């Protein structure tokens, strides 16, 4: 898997600027005193930087945006990148500034003049996040990114602040790789193997095979995968960083490695994107990797249900009735509403085995949430205001869009079945809400719980500030922040 670009933190050396090759990024702001690095570069380029920052084009830049001066005179660099960023910039603006460098970083390497900026670590994080590229399946000659150096007044302090952020970036990259991977590569076998490999980071990883799941009574989950050649699995990842014997917080992810819809088959157009239907499991895996890398002082368990939803002679049919691990029976009205069947059993198993202090599940669950919120926000559903508000605060702090959705008995009534305890769908209206109501039936009343519907945020067709188009890794940053703020004080 590609890892974030290594960034060297060095003391500011103005004498080295003239001979620096590749690209030089320097921070500036219109109408404000400029840094020593800016002034030195301006002298070397015979006033080119001052002229540029006084231009109308620079004045129109928003904080964190940049413009290039290509092949400026007086320096060896191919370009000087002027980034508009004031000294009182916030976290979001600083990360955006770093992302501007990461977006344009190439084989020649980049030097970032952060100097004494208070947000230098966030600049480094934004750079690393945006420099991500998924090119594992492209042939031909590939560009090898050059080195990255960030010059700061106190490089040791910046490096220390950046270290946990680097762990988050690696977790995000792990999630992006999983979500971007095609389904013929990321089978349930391969997915489980990648998670098992994280044992070398200190995670305890256990793989439950179909025989184990049958003994546990996970017939809702097994029913989804019974039409596939890839066997269904549940992978349990435990991080023991908190007090010994203290109950863990649980993260649960939907891991449908490919979703045809089953017998209720999807339209052909756009079905290729269903390689991302394991996005919830991918995010859980990325968070667990982050926690292990930064040695989080918390007990957290991540559980993912890995299945493939295929139509063949053994596939589950609309109208079938399955019994969940909890014991409730489910009439399967639509086999394309499969993710909730997977999560139902894993949620119940997590509570029965680990007695968690709380749970958050993630799933690319419904198209309805995209209709409601577009691609800007994940839908958040919860039975507990305290946990929900804490998550929303963490998501806001990390710049990951999230919006709380309603729940209630009227929605729950739509799941009534004539022949079983419930149906797996409740009609088109309020589809994301009835899906959440279905999941809540498998959450014990005293367990704080949030459901995150990431169908609109896991994979995008356009670039975002911190990611190229494709998998975003949404949720890794927010969940890591939640765990830090809530369990590591």
């Amino acid at each position: 898997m590609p890892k974030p670009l290594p960034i060297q933190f060095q003391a500011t050396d103005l004498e080295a600027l003239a001979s620096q090759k590749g690209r030089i990024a320097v921070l500036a702001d219109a109408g404000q005193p400029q840094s020593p690095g800016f002034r030195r570069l301006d002298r070397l380029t015979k006033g080119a930087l001052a002229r540029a920052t006084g231009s109308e084009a620079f004045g129109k830049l928003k904080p964190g945006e940049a413009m290039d001066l290509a092949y400026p005179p007086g320096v060896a660099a191919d370009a000087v990148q002027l980034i508009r960023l004031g000294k009182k910039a916030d976290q979001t603006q600083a990360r955006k500034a770093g992302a501007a460098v990461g977006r344009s970083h190439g084989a020649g390497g980049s030097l970032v003049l952060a100097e004494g900026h208070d947000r230098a670590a966030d600049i480094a994080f934004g750079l690393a996040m945006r420099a991500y590229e998924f090119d594992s399946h492209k042939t031909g000659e590939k560009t090898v990114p050059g080195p990255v150096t960030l010059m700061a007044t106190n490089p040791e302090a910046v490096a220390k602040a950046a270290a946990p952020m680097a762990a988050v970036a690696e977790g995000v990259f792990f999630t992006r790789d999983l979500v971007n991977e095609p389904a013929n590569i990321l089978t349930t076998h391969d997915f489980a193997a990648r998670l098992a490999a994280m044992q070398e980071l200190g995670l305890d990883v256990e793989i439950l095979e179909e025989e184990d799941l049958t003994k546990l009574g996970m017939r809702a989950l097994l029913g989804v995968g019974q039409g596939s050649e890839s066997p269904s699995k549940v992978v349990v990842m435990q991080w023991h960083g908190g007090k010994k014997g203290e109950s863990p917080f649980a993260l649960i992810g939907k891991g449908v490695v490919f979703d045809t819809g089953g017998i209720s088959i999807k339209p052909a157009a756009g079905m290729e994107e269903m390689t991302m239907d394991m996005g919830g499991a991918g995010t859980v895996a990325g968070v667990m990797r982050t926690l292990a890398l930064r040695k989080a002082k918390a007990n957290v368990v991540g559980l993912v249900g890995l299945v493939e939803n295929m139509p063949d002679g053994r596939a589950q049919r609309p109208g079938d009735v399955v019994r969940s691990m909890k014991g409730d029976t489910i009439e399967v009205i639509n086999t394309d509403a499969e993710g909730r069947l997977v999560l139902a059993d894993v949620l119940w198993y997590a509570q029965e085995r680990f007695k968690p202090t709380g749970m958050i599940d993630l799933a690319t669950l419904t198209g309805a949430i995209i209709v409601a919120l577009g691609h800007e926000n994940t839908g958040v559903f919860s039975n507990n205001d305290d946990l929900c508000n804490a998550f929303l605060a963490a998501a806001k702090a990390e710049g990951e869009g999230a919006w709380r959705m309603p729940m209630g008995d009227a929605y729950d009534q739509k799941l009534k079945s004539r022949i079983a305890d419930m149906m797996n769908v409740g009609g088109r209206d309020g589809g994301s809400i009835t899906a959440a109501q279905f999941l809540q039936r498998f959450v014990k009343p005293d367990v704080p719980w949030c459901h995150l519907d990431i169908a609109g945020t896991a994979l995008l067709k356009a670039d975002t500030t911190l990611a190229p188009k494709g998998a975003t890794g949404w949720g890794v940053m927010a969940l890591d922040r939640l765990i830090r703020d809530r369990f590591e004080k």
Side-chain angles (χ1 to χ4, degrees), residues 423-446:
M423 301 186 298
N424 73 325
V425 294
R428 289 180 59 84
D429 52 313
S432 64
I433 306 174
T434 52
Q437 293 290 160
F438 178 92
L439 294 177
Q440 189 177 32
R441 291 182 174 218
F442 298 90
V443 177
K444 296 181 180 182
D446 60 339

Side-chain angles (χ1 to χ4, degrees), residues 277-318:
D277 210 24
M278 37 56 62
T283 299
V284 170
V287 175
M288 298 306 295
R289 188 177 191 88
T290 296
L291 299 178
L293 286 169
R294 67 173 184 81
K295 308 299 182 188
K297 295 179 180 179
N299 292 332
V300 182
V301 59
L303 305 97
V304 296
L306 308 181
V307 302
E308 185 177 37
N309 190 18
M310 298 288 281
D312 84 341
R314 297 181 296 114
Q316 185 166 256
R317 296 156 292 236

